[in-house]
Amino acid sequence: MKIRKYTIGRSPDNDEVINEPDVSAHHAVVFVMGDVVSIDDLDSSNGTYHNGYRIKTTVLKRNSEVKIANKYLINLAPFFENYNSDLQLDADNNYIRQFNELETVWNEWEERKQELEKMTKMSDFFTRTALYVIPCIIVSFFVNKTYYMPISLVLGTVTNSISLGSGNLKKKKKKLDVQFKSKYKCPRCGVQLYEDWQILKNQKECFHCKAIWVL
């Protein structure tokens, strides 16, 4: 199903321009998917309000009241031109579009996580090599006592650098997990999700709030 979107904000490149100082350059976006109309706030400074409540994302009805920065009323009539009340089943509980966006969050996390795991394995291998294999070979076959100390210092420096690299990879993985968890949540109730996106897709709805993910 084709998704149409309409942007709202102060910048002239928006579909609806509100040239006021308390409106963000790109303040909000309305999505129209068949008979389902929803709005997302784009991390604006002064917020997007639905029926008096500041929201991040919500599904709209014909009689919804949407205000930008809690001041500027948005005319929703054009978004419901092709509205069919018989087709808009339980619109307040329909989060299909938002759930589909979680597929990208999952795939990007999996891809980046695998990259970091490969880099960690390589780092661990080089660390073990520096700690055990190289010193043994040099001491046993190539280095006399005159050069042992300088080379040992060099090897120590290399080993420390590799160890620091390994530590940085662990920090990156931790940061990646934190970012993933902040995004991979039910778009309605915000409960943390853990399962593969495909498993959740087969589940079709949130186990916690029963929000509809898949029809």
Side-chain angles (χ1 to χ4, degrees), residues 14-48:
N14 287 286
D15 296 302
E16 182 166 345
V17 178
I18 305 175
N19 190 17
E20 298 292 344
D22 46 356
V23 176
S24 296
H26 298 94
H27 198 106
V29 57
V30 175
F31 294 93
V32 180
M33 184 176 67
D35 288 291
V36 178
V37 181
S38 62
I39 188 168
D40 286 7
D41 180 79
L42 299 177
D43 295 323
S44 63
S45 299
N46 295 306
T48 300

Side-chain angles (χ1 to χ4, degrees), residues 27-71:
H27 198 106
V29 57
V30 175
F31 294 93
V32 180
M33 184 176 67
D35 288 291
V36 178
V37 181
S38 62
I39 188 168
D40 286 7
D41 180 79
L42 299 177
D43 295 323
S44 63
S45 299
N46 295 306
T48 300
Y49 289 76
H50 175 246
N51 295 338
Y53 294 93
R54 186 167 181 169
I55 55 92
K56 175 62 180 173
T57 179
T58 191
V59 175
L60 303 175
K61 290 183 176 180
R62 289 178 66 92
N63 60 349
S64 291
E65 181 184 83
V66 173
K67 288 184 177 181
I68 298 300
N70 206 20
K71 286 185 180 181

Side-chain angles (χ1 to χ4, degrees), residues 74-85:
I74 300 300
N75 178 21
L76 300 178
F79 306 128
F80 291 93
E81 287 179 350
N82 299 317
Y83 175 81
N84 184 333
S85 59

Side-chain angles (χ1 to χ4, degrees), residues 182-196:
S182 69
K183 297 178 181 178
Y184 202 62
K185 298 178 179 181
C186 172
R188 183 189 186 196
C189 67
V191 69
Q192 187 67 63
L193 304 174
Y194 298 97
E195 293 87 354
D196 186 303

Side-chain angles (χ1 to χ4, degrees), residues 126-137:
F126 286 121
T127 300
R128 289 193 298 270
T129 301
L131 285 172
Y132 303 109
V133 179
I134 296 177
C136 291
I137 293 175

